[in-house]
Amino acid sequence: MSNDKPLVLDVDGTFLSTDLLHESFWAGLGRAPLRTLRITATRFRDRARLKAELAALGPLRTDLMPVAPAVAEVVIGALNEGREVCLASASISGWWRSWRPITGSPSGSSPRTGGSI
């Protein structure tokens, strides 16, 4: 019996063993330390604006982010079954442009990544 339902995963803390907001902060410190600290200090209470301004500092290296191994196995299994896999996050959509596909699927398919939901 096939399962037509898509597999939908939260990115922060489920698919990834990290949080994209934290990663954007650390990436910003590496690119523009003073600007990152200023943005963080002045936008701390406005999460949407904080995320947007940190995202504007540059793309994230999603290829270096730690994927939870057990969750990755479930994703690869779902892809092998032909199921659609969707990654959900409240993060800025621009962060998703550099998302690395999951490999291991015989069809070469990868999860569909979405921006903010």
Side-chain angles (χ1 to χ4, degrees), residues 7 9 14-15 67-81 83 85 102-106 111:
L7 175 63
L9 296 169
T14 302
F15 180 68
V67 175
V71 178
E73 287 181 31
V74 171
V75 169
I76 291 170
L79 291 171
N80 288 337
E81 294 170 4
R83 291 175 63 193
V85 177
I102 296 174
T103 57
S105 169

PDB file of all heavy atoms in Angstrom, residues 7 9 14-15 67-81 83 85 102-106 111:
ATOM      1  N   LEU A   7       5.569  14.008   3.305  1.00  0.00           N
ATOM      2  CA  LEU A   7       6.265  14.084   4.579  1.00  0.00           C
ATOM      3  C   LEU A   7       6.643  15.548   4.764  1.00  0.00           C
ATOM      4  O   LEU A   7       7.382  16.111   3.960  1.00  0.00           O
ATOM      5  CB  LEU A   7       7.518  13.212   4.572  1.00  0.00           C
ATOM      6  CG  LEU A   7       8.411  13.287   5.798  1.00  0.00           C
ATOM      7  CD1 LEU A   7       7.673  12.801   7.049  1.00  0.00           C
ATOM      8  CD2 LEU A   7       9.686  12.483   5.580  1.00  0.00           C
ATOM      9  N   LEU A   9       8.331  18.327   7.279  1.00  0.00           N
ATOM     10  CA  LEU A   9       9.228  18.421   8.431  1.00  0.00           C
ATOM     11  C   LEU A   9       9.544  19.863   8.768  1.00  0.00           C
ATOM     12  O   LEU A   9       9.776  20.676   7.878  1.00  0.00           O
ATOM     13  CB  LEU A   9      10.564  17.728   8.117  1.00  0.00           C
ATOM     14  CG  LEU A   9      10.544  16.247   7.875  1.00  0.00           C
ATOM     15  CD1 LEU A   9      11.880  15.795   7.329  1.00  0.00           C
ATOM     16  CD2 LEU A   9      10.238  15.522   9.158  1.00  0.00           C
ATOM     17  N   THR A  14      14.503  19.870  14.008  1.00  0.00           N
ATOM     18  CA  THR A  14      13.988  18.562  13.622  1.00  0.00           C
ATOM     19  C   THR A  14      14.836  18.002  12.486  1.00  0.00           C
ATOM     20  O   THR A  14      15.583  17.052  12.682  1.00  0.00           O
ATOM     21  CB  THR A  14      12.505  18.646  13.189  1.00  0.00           C
ATOM     22  OG1 THR A  14      11.740  19.173  14.269  1.00  0.00           O
ATOM     23  CG2 THR A  14      11.960  17.274  12.818  1.00  0.00           C
ATOM     24  N   PHE A  15      14.729  18.610  11.311  1.00  0.00           N
ATOM     25  CA  PHE A  15      15.561  18.172  10.195  1.00  0.00           C
ATOM     26  C   PHE A  15      17.020  18.556  10.437  1.00  0.00           C
ATOM     27  O   PHE A  15      17.921  17.760  10.236  1.00  0.00           O
ATOM     28  CB  PHE A  15      15.049  18.786   8.888  1.00  0.00           C
ATOM     29  CG  PHE A  15      15.844  18.376   7.689  1.00  0.00           C
ATOM     30  CD1 PHE A  15      15.808  17.065   7.234  1.00  0.00           C
ATOM     31  CD2 PHE A  15      16.635  19.279   7.014  1.00  0.00           C
ATOM     32  CE1 PHE A  15      16.548  16.669   6.130  1.00  0.00           C
ATOM     33  CE2 PHE A  15      17.369  18.898   5.914  1.00  0.00           C
ATOM     34  CZ  PHE A  15      17.329  17.589   5.475  1.00  0.00           C
ATOM     35  N   VAL A  67      22.559  17.860   9.653  1.00  0.00           N
ATOM     36  CA  VAL A  67      21.265  17.225   9.462  1.00  0.00           C
ATOM     37  C   VAL A  67      21.148  16.102  10.485  1.00  0.00           C
ATOM     38  O   VAL A  67      22.095  15.346  10.704  1.00  0.00           O
ATOM     39  CB  VAL A  67      21.144  16.674   8.025  1.00  0.00           C
ATOM     40  CG1 VAL A  67      19.860  15.896   7.835  1.00  0.00           C
ATOM     41  CG2 VAL A  67      21.242  17.809   7.017  1.00  0.00           C
ATOM     42  N   ALA A  68      19.986  15.993  11.117  1.00  0.00           N
ATOM     43  CA  ALA A  68      19.758  14.923  12.089  1.00  0.00           C
ATOM     44  C   ALA A  68      19.754  13.588  11.342  1.00  0.00           C
ATOM     45  O   ALA A  68      18.926  13.377  10.456  1.00  0.00           O
ATOM     46  CB  ALA A  68      18.435  15.148  12.809  1.00  0.00           C
ATOM     47  N   PRO A  69      20.681  12.687  11.661  1.00  0.00           N
ATOM     48  CA  PRO A  69      20.818  11.439  10.895  1.00  0.00           C
ATOM     49  C   PRO A  69      19.551  10.596  10.844  1.00  0.00           C
ATOM     50  O   PRO A  69      19.193  10.085   9.774  1.00  0.00           O
ATOM     51  CB  PRO A  69      21.941  10.685  11.616  1.00  0.00           C
ATOM     52  CG  PRO A  69      22.686  11.729  12.373  1.00  0.00           C
ATOM     53  CD  PRO A  69      21.685  12.791  12.722  1.00  0.00           C
ATOM     54  N   ALA A  70      18.864  10.436  11.959  1.00  0.00           N
ATOM     55  CA  ALA A  70      17.657   9.601  11.969  1.00  0.00           C
ATOM     56  C   ALA A  70      16.560  10.209  11.099  1.00  0.00           C
ATOM     57  O   ALA A  70      15.849   9.490  10.397  1.00  0.00           O
ATOM     58  CB  ALA A  70      17.159   9.420  13.399  1.00  0.00           C
ATOM     59  N   VAL A  71      16.455  11.525  11.122  1.00  0.00           N
ATOM     60  CA  VAL A  71      15.444  12.203  10.301  1.00  0.00           C
ATOM     61  C   VAL A  71      15.824  12.107   8.826  1.00  0.00           C
ATOM     62  O   VAL A  71      14.966  11.897   7.967  1.00  0.00           O
ATOM     63  CB  VAL A  71      15.261  13.671  10.752  1.00  0.00           C
ATOM     64  CG1 VAL A  71      14.266  14.393   9.872  1.00  0.00           C
ATOM     65  CG2 VAL A  71      14.829  13.734  12.214  1.00  0.00           C
ATOM     66  N   ALA A  72      17.115  12.246   8.526  1.00  0.00           N
ATOM     67  CA  ALA A  72      17.571  12.119   7.133  1.00  0.00           C
ATOM     68  C   ALA A  72      17.235  10.738   6.578  1.00  0.00           C
ATOM     69  O   ALA A  72      16.839  10.616   5.413  1.00  0.00           O
ATOM     70  CB  ALA A  72      19.074  12.384   7.050  1.00  0.00           C
ATOM     71  N   GLU A  73      17.350   9.703   7.396  1.00  0.00           N
ATOM     72  CA  GLU A  73      16.992   8.349   6.957  1.00  0.00           C
ATOM     73  C   GLU A  73      15.516   8.251   6.610  1.00  0.00           C
ATOM     74  O   GLU A  73      15.138   7.634   5.612  1.00  0.00           O
ATOM     75  CB  GLU A  73      17.342   7.326   8.042  1.00  0.00           C
ATOM     76  CG  GLU A  73      18.818   7.062   8.182  1.00  0.00           C
ATOM     77  CD  GLU A  73      19.123   6.029   9.256  1.00  0.00           C
ATOM     78  OE1 GLU A  73      18.281   5.122   9.467  1.00  0.00           O
ATOM     79  OE2 GLU A  73      20.195   6.126   9.871  1.00  0.00           O
ATOM     80  N   VAL A  74      14.671   8.894   7.433  1.00  0.00           N
ATOM     81  CA  VAL A  74      13.236   8.892   7.161  1.00  0.00           C
ATOM     82  C   VAL A  74      12.953   9.638   5.858  1.00  0.00           C
ATOM     83  O   VAL A  74      12.147   9.192   5.035  1.00  0.00           O
ATOM     84  CB  VAL A  74      12.456   9.532   8.341  1.00  0.00           C
ATOM     85  CG1 VAL A  74      10.996   9.733   7.992  1.00  0.00           C
ATOM     86  CG2 VAL A  74      12.595   8.683   9.596  1.00  0.00           C
ATOM     87  N   VAL A  75      13.631  10.746   5.648  1.00  0.00           N
ATOM     88  CA  VAL A  75      13.445  11.535   4.423  1.00  0.00           C
ATOM     89  C   VAL A  75      13.865  10.733   3.197  1.00  0.00           C
ATOM     90  O   VAL A  75      13.136  10.663   2.207  1.00  0.00           O
ATOM     91  CB  VAL A  75      14.231  12.868   4.507  1.00  0.00           C
ATOM     92  CG1 VAL A  75      14.269  13.564   3.170  1.00  0.00           C
ATOM     93  CG2 VAL A  75      13.628  13.770   5.570  1.00  0.00           C
ATOM     94  N   ILE A  76      15.019  10.112   3.263  1.00  0.00           N
ATOM     95  CA  ILE A  76      15.495   9.316   2.136  1.00  0.00           C
ATOM     96  C   ILE A  76      14.551   8.149   1.863  1.00  0.00           C
ATOM     97  O   ILE A  76      14.236   7.849   0.710  1.00  0.00           O
ATOM     98  CB  ILE A  76      16.950   8.848   2.374  1.00  0.00           C
ATOM     99  CG1 ILE A  76      17.882  10.061   2.308  1.00  0.00           C
ATOM    100  CG2 ILE A  76      17.351   7.784   1.369  1.00  0.00           C
ATOM    101  CD1 ILE A  76      19.296   9.783   2.767  1.00  0.00           C
ATOM    102  N   GLY A  77      14.054   7.534   2.925  1.00  0.00           N
ATOM    103  CA  GLY A  77      13.074   6.457   2.750  1.00  0.00           C
ATOM    104  C   GLY A  77      11.806   6.948   2.075  1.00  0.00           C
ATOM    105  O   GLY A  77      11.273   6.285   1.170  1.00  0.00           O
ATOM    106  N   ALA A  78      11.332   8.113   2.477  1.00  0.00           N
ATOM    107  CA  ALA A  78      10.127   8.677   1.865  1.00  0.00           C
ATOM    108  C   ALA A  78      10.367   8.996   0.389  1.00  0.00           C
ATOM    109  O   ALA A  78       9.515   8.733  -0.463  1.00  0.00           O
ATOM    110  CB  ALA A  78       9.692   9.925   2.624  1.00  0.00           C
ATOM    111  N   LEU A  79      11.531   9.559   0.086  1.00  0.00           N
ATOM    112  CA  LEU A  79      11.863   9.857  -1.316  1.00  0.00           C
ATOM    113  C   LEU A  79      11.947   8.582  -2.145  1.00  0.00           C
ATOM    114  O   LEU A  79      11.481   8.542  -3.281  1.00  0.00           O
ATOM    115  CB  LEU A  79      13.180  10.632  -1.397  1.00  0.00           C
ATOM    116  CG  LEU A  79      13.153  12.069  -0.863  1.00  0.00           C
ATOM    117  CD1 LEU A  79      14.562  12.637  -0.799  1.00  0.00           C
ATOM    118  CD2 LEU A  79      12.251  12.941  -1.713  1.00  0.00           C
ATOM    119  N   ASN A  80      12.525   7.542  -1.570  1.00  0.00           N
ATOM    120  CA  ASN A  80      12.631   6.263  -2.275  1.00  0.00           C
ATOM    121  C   ASN A  80      11.261   5.646  -2.543  1.00  0.00           C
ATOM    122  O   ASN A  80      11.093   4.891  -3.497  1.00  0.00           O
ATOM    123  CB  ASN A  80      13.512   5.286  -1.502  1.00  0.00           C
ATOM    124  CG  ASN A  80      14.979   5.657  -1.565  1.00  0.00           C
ATOM    125  OD1 ASN A  80      15.409   6.352  -2.476  1.00  0.00           O
ATOM    126  ND2 ASN A  80      15.743   5.215  -0.582  1.00  0.00           N
ATOM    127  N   GLU A  81      10.294   5.958  -1.672  1.00  0.00           N
ATOM    128  CA  GLU A  81       8.923   5.480  -1.856  1.00  0.00           C
ATOM    129  C   GLU A  81       8.152   6.348  -2.849  1.00  0.00           C
ATOM    130  O   GLU A  81       6.999   6.061  -3.157  1.00  0.00           O
ATOM    131  CB  GLU A  81       8.176   5.487  -0.518  1.00  0.00           C
ATOM    132  CG  GLU A  81       8.704   4.504   0.492  1.00  0.00           C
ATOM    133  CD  GLU A  81       8.084   4.719   1.873  1.00  0.00           C
ATOM    134  OE1 GLU A  81       7.188   5.574   2.017  1.00  0.00           O
ATOM    135  OE2 GLU A  81       8.508   4.024   2.811  1.00  0.00           O
ATOM    136  N   ARG A  83       7.384   9.521  -2.270  1.00  0.00           N
ATOM    137  CA  ARG A  83       6.602  10.538  -1.556  1.00  0.00           C
ATOM    138  C   ARG A  83       7.242  11.907  -1.698  1.00  0.00           C
ATOM    139  O   ARG A  83       8.458  12.034  -1.813  1.00  0.00           O
ATOM    140  CB  ARG A  83       6.516  10.190  -0.069  1.00  0.00           C
ATOM    141  CG  ARG A  83       5.684   8.966   0.206  1.00  0.00           C
ATOM    142  CD  ARG A  83       5.710   8.584   1.662  1.00  0.00           C
ATOM    143  NE  ARG A  83       5.135   9.632   2.501  1.00  0.00           N
ATOM    144  CZ  ARG A  83       5.267   9.653   3.826  1.00  0.00           C
ATOM    145  NH1 ARG A  83       5.960   8.715   4.444  1.00  0.00           N
ATOM    146  NH2 ARG A  83       4.729  10.612   4.519  1.00  0.00           N
ATOM    147  N   VAL A  85       8.514  15.318  -0.165  1.00  0.00           N
ATOM    148  CA  VAL A  85       9.054  15.747   1.118  1.00  0.00           C
ATOM    149  C   VAL A  85       9.125  17.267   1.108  1.00  0.00           C
ATOM    150  O   VAL A  85       9.693  17.857   0.194  1.00  0.00           O
ATOM    151  CB  VAL A  85      10.457  15.143   1.380  1.00  0.00           C
ATOM    152  CG1 VAL A  85      11.036  15.672   2.686  1.00  0.00           C
ATOM    153  CG2 VAL A  85      10.388  13.630   1.407  1.00  0.00           C
ATOM    154  N   ILE A 102      18.998  16.622  -0.553  1.00  0.00           N
ATOM    155  CA  ILE A 102      19.380  15.362   0.091  1.00  0.00           C
ATOM    156  C   ILE A 102      19.688  14.380  -1.018  1.00  0.00           C
ATOM    157  O   ILE A 102      18.936  14.254  -1.971  1.00  0.00           O
ATOM    158  CB  ILE A 102      18.228  14.822   0.947  1.00  0.00           C
ATOM    159  CG1 ILE A 102      17.927  15.776   2.074  1.00  0.00           C
ATOM    160  CG2 ILE A 102      18.543  13.447   1.470  1.00  0.00           C
ATOM    161  CD1 ILE A 102      16.726  15.397   2.853  1.00  0.00           C
ATOM    162  N   THR A 103      20.792  13.699  -0.898  1.00  0.00           N
ATOM    163  CA  THR A 103      21.136  12.706  -1.906  1.00  0.00           C
ATOM    164  C   THR A 103      20.824  11.324  -1.369  1.00  0.00           C
ATOM    165  O   THR A 103      20.545  11.144  -0.200  1.00  0.00           O
ATOM    166  CB  THR A 103      22.623  12.803  -2.285  1.00  0.00           C
ATOM    167  OG1 THR A 103      23.392  12.639  -1.104  1.00  0.00           O
ATOM    168  CG2 THR A 103      22.937  14.136  -2.907  1.00  0.00           C
ATOM    169  N   GLY A 104      20.895  10.363  -2.217  1.00  0.00           N
ATOM    170  CA  GLY A 104      20.627   8.996  -1.805  1.00  0.00           C
ATOM    171  C   GLY A 104      19.365   8.451  -2.426  1.00  0.00           C
ATOM    172  O   GLY A 104      19.093   7.271  -2.344  1.00  0.00           O
ATOM    173  N   SER A 105      18.586   9.297  -3.045  1.00  0.00           N
ATOM    174  CA  SER A 105      17.382   8.836  -3.703  1.00  0.00           C
ATOM    175  C   SER A 105      17.738   8.311  -5.088  1.00  0.00           C
ATOM    176  O   SER A 105      18.454   8.970  -5.828  1.00  0.00           O
ATOM    177  CB  SER A 105      16.399   9.998  -3.826  1.00  0.00           C
ATOM    178  OG  SER A 105      15.337   9.649  -4.667  1.00  0.00           O
ATOM    179  N   PRO A 106      17.270   7.122  -5.465  1.00  0.00           N
ATOM    180  CA  PRO A 106      17.618   6.587  -6.769  1.00  0.00           C
ATOM    181  C   PRO A 106      17.148   7.493  -7.909  1.00  0.00           C
ATOM    182  O   PRO A 106      17.770   7.562  -8.946  1.00  0.00           O
ATOM    183  CB  PRO A 106      16.918   5.229  -6.831  1.00  0.00           C
ATOM    184  CG  PRO A 106      16.037   5.154  -5.670  1.00  0.00           C
ATOM    185  CD  PRO A 106      16.416   6.235  -4.713  1.00  0.00           C
ATOM    186  N   PRO A 111      13.990  17.070  -1.394  1.00  0.00           N
ATOM    187  CA  PRO A 111      12.829  17.680  -0.763  1.00  0.00           C
ATOM    188  C   PRO A 111      12.544  19.046  -1.373  1.00  0.00           C
ATOM    189  O   PRO A 111      13.449  19.761  -1.770  1.00  0.00           O
ATOM    190  CB  PRO A 111      13.228  17.833   0.700  1.00  0.00           C
ATOM    191  CG  PRO A 111      14.554  17.269   0.850  1.00  0.00           C
ATOM    192  CD  PRO A 111      15.078  16.885  -0.472  1.00  0.00           C
TER     193      PRO A 111
END
